[in-house]
């Protein structure tokens, strides 16, 4: 059985920060009706992240995780756009973590939440960071809100291989526990299915309303699997077996579970 042990983040190199003026902020999404991305780029620098494709639309030459563009006019744009569009669920965020470390300084996610709360728009938050707890006062104002954490493994040693600069697994689970205990609807996103994911469910029991599972069939992190002898954890047999185990554990514990890639 994998053991969850608290850990700190590794030291990161300098991140290139650029303040920009965005043209719009409340965008259409294939996952939810709308998405807000206050930042381009993400300091968490997860090796497998699908959002790396964003480099195609910027002039950044730096590696993913080494740059962040800050949309300093995000709140002003949202205040204008929210009055022109039909009310529907807003996803925060799709191609960045809305609570990456820079959010502590810029507070763009917090201010966007305040704007959405004033107009009573439904919100779904997805993050890896306990910084979301800072905004509990606003979350409690929202009548329709969900907060989810991306948690791909229960083994923090595995987390360090694939997400070396992201918050630890215990921090994420403890944050979910706090939010759930406050009566806020919570969920966990197990994506990708990393080694140790099969141990997650008994840690999540009582902390989430539902769990989503997605293998995320991207190949950005293939070299890490090969480097650390984890190639068997990339196979269809592995994903199928672990998905079935997660589903069975969720059923046994009474947790709603959806397997996204089936």
């Amino acid at each position: 059985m994998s053991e969850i042990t608290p850990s700190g983040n590794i030291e990161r190199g300098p991140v290139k920060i650029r303040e920009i003026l965005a043209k719009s902020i409340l965008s259409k999404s294939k996952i939810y009706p709308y998405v807000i991305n206050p930042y381009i780029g993400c300091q968490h620098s997860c090796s497998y992240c699908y959002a790396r494709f964003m480099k195609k639309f910027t002039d950044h030459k730096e590696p993913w995780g080494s740059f962040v563009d800050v949309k300093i006019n995000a709140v002003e744009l949202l205040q204008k756009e929210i009055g022109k569009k039909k009310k529907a669920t807003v996803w925060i965020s799709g191609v960045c973590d809305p609570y990456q470390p820079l959010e502590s300084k810029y507070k763009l996610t917090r201010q966007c939440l305040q704007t959405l709360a004033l107009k009573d728009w439904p919100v779904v938050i997805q993050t890896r960071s306990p910084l979301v707890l800072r905004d509990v006062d606003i979350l409690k104002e929202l009548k329709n809100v969900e907060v989810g954490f991306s948690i791909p493994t229960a083994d923090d040693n595995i987390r360090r291989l694939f997400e070396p600069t992201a918050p630890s697994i215990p921090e994420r689970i403890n944050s979910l526990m706090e939010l759930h205990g406050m009566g806020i609807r919570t969920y966990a996103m197990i994506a990708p299915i990393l080694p140790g994911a099969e141990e997650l469910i008994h840690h999540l029991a009582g902390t989430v309303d539902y769990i989503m599972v997605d293998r995320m069939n991207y190949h950005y992190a293939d070299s890490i699997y090969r480097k650390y002898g984890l190639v068997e954890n990339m196979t269809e047999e592995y994903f199928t077996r672990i998905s079935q185990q997660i589903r069975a554990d969720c059923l046994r514990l009474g947790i709603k579970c959806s397997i996204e890639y089936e």
Side-chain angles (χ1 to χ4, degrees):
M1 179 180 295
S2 302
E3 180 182 356
I4 296 182
T5 56
S7 68
N9 296 334
I10 68 169
E11 292 293 326
R12 71 172 76 244
V15 176
K16 181 178 180 180
I17 309 302
R18 184 173 65 179
E19 295 182 350
I20 65 171
L21 295 175
K23 295 181 179 179
S24 63
I25 196 66
L26 191 59
S27 306
K28 291 184 179 180
S29 167
K30 295 180 180 180
I31 309 298
Y32 294 96
Y34 301 109
V35 63
I36 291 176
N37 290 292
Y39 306 95
I40 299 174
C42 185
Q43 292 167 282
H44 289 159
S45 188
C46 299
S47 60
Y48 51 77
C49 185
Y50 64 88
R52 291 168 181 265
F53 77 88
M54 290 297 295
K55 286 189 64 176
K56 296 179 180 179
F57 307 103
T58 71
D59 58 357
H60 286 286
K61 305 302 181 184
E62 303 86 359
W64 180 254
S66 298
F67 69 89
V68 180
D69 290 348
V70 182
K71 300 177 184 179
I72 56 173
N73 62 333
V75 181
E76 290 78 11
L77 286 173
L78 181 59
Q79 290 170 344
K80 294 177 181 179
E81 295 174 17
I82 199 171
K84 301 176 182 179
K85 298 185 178 182
K86 184 178 179 180
K87 183 187 294 187
T89 300
V90 181
W91 183 24
I92 307 175
S93 296
V95 292
C96 71
D97 192 316
Y99 287 100
Q100 61 183 290
L102 274 174
E103 171 62 16
S104 295
K105 173 183 177 181
Y106 285 97
K107 298 182 174 64
L108 295 179
T109 298
R110 178 176 175 82
Q111 294 176 72
C112 285
L113 279 177
Q114 288 173 322
T115 300
L116 294 167
L118 285 173
K119 298 297 183 179
D120 194 29
W121 277 47
V123 174
V124 175
I125 295 170
Q126 186 167 332
T127 184
R128 288 174 171 77
S129 175
L131 182 58
V132 67
L133 294 170
R134 179 201 62 187
D135 294 340
V136 163
D137 58 328
I138 305 174
L139 298 177
K140 289 182 176 179
E141 293 178 10
L142 289 160
K143 296 178 182 178
N144 189 345
V145 63
E146 297 181 1
V147 180
F149 273 72
S150 296
I151 310 179
T153 177
D155 188 334
D156 211 51
N157 291 318
I158 293 293
R159 189 275 305 170
R160 290 189 192 96
L161 300 182
F162 291 88
E163 306 177 355
T165 60
S168 70
I169 302 303
E171 288 179 297
R172 300 183 212 183
I173 293 176
N174 289 337
S175 298
L176 279 172
M177 189 178 302
E178 285 193 50
L179 291 164
H180 195 72
M182 296 175 190
I184 295 171
R185 186 170 172 80
T186 56
Y187 70 92
M189 181 74 174
I190 303 176
I193 303 173
L194 295 181
E198 66 274 14
E199 302 292 341
L200 266 176
I201 306 308
H202 71 274
H203 291 290
L204 294 171
T207 69
V208 294
D209 291 277
Y210 65 95
I211 290 172
M212 293 187 291
V213 182
D214 192 344
R215 63 167 291 177
M216 283 181 61
N217 191 21
Y218 305 106
H219 296 281
Y220 299 118
D222 284 7
S223 61
I224 295 177
Y225 282 95
R226 289 193 291 268
K227 180 178 179 179
Y228 293 100
L230 299 170
V231 174
E232 66 178 24
N233 299 108
M234 300 169 60
T235 64
E236 288 294 336
E237 185 278 331
Y238 173 78
F239 291 125
T240 299
R241 176 169 56 83
I242 299 304
S243 296
Q244 290 175 347
Q245 181 176 336
I246 289 173
R247 188 199 302 278
D249 288 343
C250 285
L251 182 62
R252 176 173 53 84
L253 294 170
I255 305 172
K256 294 181 180 179
C257 176
S258 62
I259 311 295
E260 296 297 313
Y261 60 88
E262 291 184 336

